[in-house]
Amino acid sequence: SLIDASAVSYRYRLRGAETAWSSPIAGNTASYTFIEPGDYTFQVIAANNDGVWNEEGVSMAFSLKPYFYQTSWFWMLLASTFFLAGAWALRVRTRQLQHQREQLESMVDARTRDVMAAKDQIQAQSDALRASLKEKDVLLREVHHRVKNNLQMISSLLQLQSRQVDSPETKLLFDECRNRIYSFSMVHERLYRAKDIAHFDFVDYLTGLAEQL
């Protein structure tokens, strides 16, 4: 083999990613793709032109650190961002709807006082305003429904990420986050399913939450 280096054959493997040796190759290049973060040892053995293998070979240990998007803190930050954005959007939209509702109620009172002498006209305007209030009530229910769906999506993302975590403390942290998000989603689910969205049955909510958790 010292006379003819091209007659040397190589076999290699990456401990931590595979257990079997590669097929013999004549070149001295090895490549891997899509390797997960972790600790690895790259091993190489060679054979001369007589086919005698050096079983001891050489090895090199190394570690691959995860990309930022593969870390637990990134997913927790992403989930927190979605949650805060949803909570902020809900708060803004709720204030807008409440303000509109207050304005409409004020208009109802003012119009009623102004047209007490014309019963038919008062009744027609009152019906129109109640229909408008019902529309706003439907819109508010839709907001609660969408926020509930977004929170459930965040909970599912946390569940998927927790399956890739080995640390019990980290898994517990993910579970606590999912339980908190689930409790918020149940509030919104109860609101959009309620017959009267202005009254929330807290006892029913606690009973359902205890059964699910």
Side-chain angles (χ1 to χ4, degrees), residues 110-126:
R111 294 285 180 88
T112 301
R113 288 192 299 268
D114 292 340
V115 294
M116 284 296 294
K119 182 178 179 179
D120 292 340
Q121 184 178 2
I122 293 174
Q123 187 64 44
Q125 292 178 351
S126 179

Side-chain angles (χ1 to χ4, degrees), residues 17-200:
E18 58 187 357
T19 57
W21 291 95
S22 68
S23 300
I25 62 173
N28 56 3
T29 301
S31 62
Y32 290 89
T33 58
F34 303 107
I35 301 178
E36 296 292 332
D39 298 322
Y40 300 94
T41 301
F42 182 70
Q43 298 176 315
V44 180
I45 58 176
N48 59 19
N49 53 356
D50 294 326
V52 178
W53 288 93
N54 175 11
E55 298 297 337
E56 182 178 355
V58 294
S59 63
M60 181 185 70
F62 63 94
S63 298
L64 288 180
K65 294 183 179 181
Y67 290 100
F68 74 95
Y69 55 81
Q70 294 176 315
T71 59
S72 300
W73 65 262
F74 171 78
W75 287 100
M76 293 176 61
L77 179 62
L78 183 62
S80 300
T81 301
F82 274 110
F83 174 75
L84 292 175
W88 177 81
L90 174 64
R91 184 174 182 180
V92 172
R93 186 56 180 165
T94 301
R95 286 184 175 181
Q96 290 177 346
L97 292 174
Q98 288 177 346
H99 181 66
Q100 292 176 358
R101 185 165 184 165
E102 290 173 358
Q103 287 182 328
L104 289 172
E105 290 175 347
S106 298
M107 290 175 62
V108 170
D109 294 339
R111 294 285 180 88
T112 301
R113 288 192 299 268
D114 292 340
V115 294
M116 284 296 294
K119 182 178 179 179
D120 292 340
Q121 184 178 2
I122 293 174
Q123 187 64 44
Q125 292 178 351
S126 179
D127 291 343
L129 290 172
R130 287 194 177 93
S132 179
L133 288 175
K134 184 177 180 180
E135 180 181 358
K136 296 300 183 297
D137 187 78
V138 172
L139 290 175
L140 187 58
R141 289 176 187 272
E142 179 65 19
V143 170
H144 287 300
H145 180 64
R146 294 189 179 185
V147 171
K148 186 267 297 183
N149 289 341
N150 289 336
L151 290 174
Q152 288 182 344
M153 181 181 68
I154 294 173
S155 179
S156 299
L157 289 174
L158 289 175
Q159 184 178 15
L160 289 174
Q161 183 63 24
S162 66
R163 294 177 180 174
Q164 302 178 7
V165 175
D166 296 328
S167 171
E169 293 80 3
T170 305
K171 284 183 176 289
L172 179 61
L173 181 60
F174 273 106
D175 290 339
E176 291 177 354
C177 290
R178 289 181 58 244
N179 288 337
R180 291 174 182 174
I181 292 174
Y182 180 77
S183 64
F184 280 110
S185 67
M186 282 195 63
V187 172
H188 294 288
E189 182 178 5
R190 290 293 192 277
L191 286 173
Y192 86 80
R193 292 182 181 275
K195 293 182 179 180
D196 183 5
I197 200 170
H199 297 85
F200 181 75

